[in-house]
Amino acid sequence: MSRQGQNRPVSGQFPPAPPPPPPPPPPAGPPAPRQLRPVVALLLANLGLSVLLTITVLVARHSVVAFQLDHRHVTDPAQRDVLRRSYSVGIWSRVVGNVVLSVVYVFLVRALFRGRRWAYRRVIALGAIGIVALVGVQFTPYPAWMRAEQLLQALVLAALLWFVLRPEVRAHFAPGLPGRNTRRFGRPA
């Protein structure tokens, strides 16, 4: 056999392979209702208010701590020093808490748009616990501007609860819908 005959393609021996089937579509529940957008906007507004207050308190930390010390009516220098340190630690822990909360909010908003029921329940808990905490903070010695911001934040959380408990949003997170009972990272609930 010549060299040309060896390099000639063999035709007709095997039929061409069929194209692979398209991947199945992911199980999709109903699209996110437009009423979910105010929930996300209010979550982000709450986070923004919290970060704004934290930055303001961090900048004015000396005057805030002095205000708190003056309203405790503590005259003993040793006690005042202990209180001053604890108030300063409280301010810095708020900064760390807001950084952590910002990261958590990213995952929470993503899960809300995906229709995850666990995220829906956490938003309800966050709103309720946040309101109680912010109303409770009103009884601690803070400057008036700080109290006003915290009341505004409590109102934002109340609006968040109102929107998240609307029938359309509740229906979007119903337990029987596909993908709703999935925890983080795709694990079943």
Side-chain angles (χ1 to χ4, degrees), residues 155-167:
L155 290 174
V156 167
L157 288 176
L160 171 75
L161 279 178
W162 187 83
F163 276 106
V164 83
L165 294 174
R166 303 299 311 145

Side-chain angles (χ1 to χ4, degrees), residues 10 19 28 38 41 44 48 55 58 82 93 96 101 104 113 142 147 170:
V10 179
L44 296 177
I55 291 170
L58 193 59
V82 169
S93 63
V96 171
L101 194 64
V104 168
F113 278 125
Y142 284 127
R147 288 182 188 210
R170 269 196 329 231

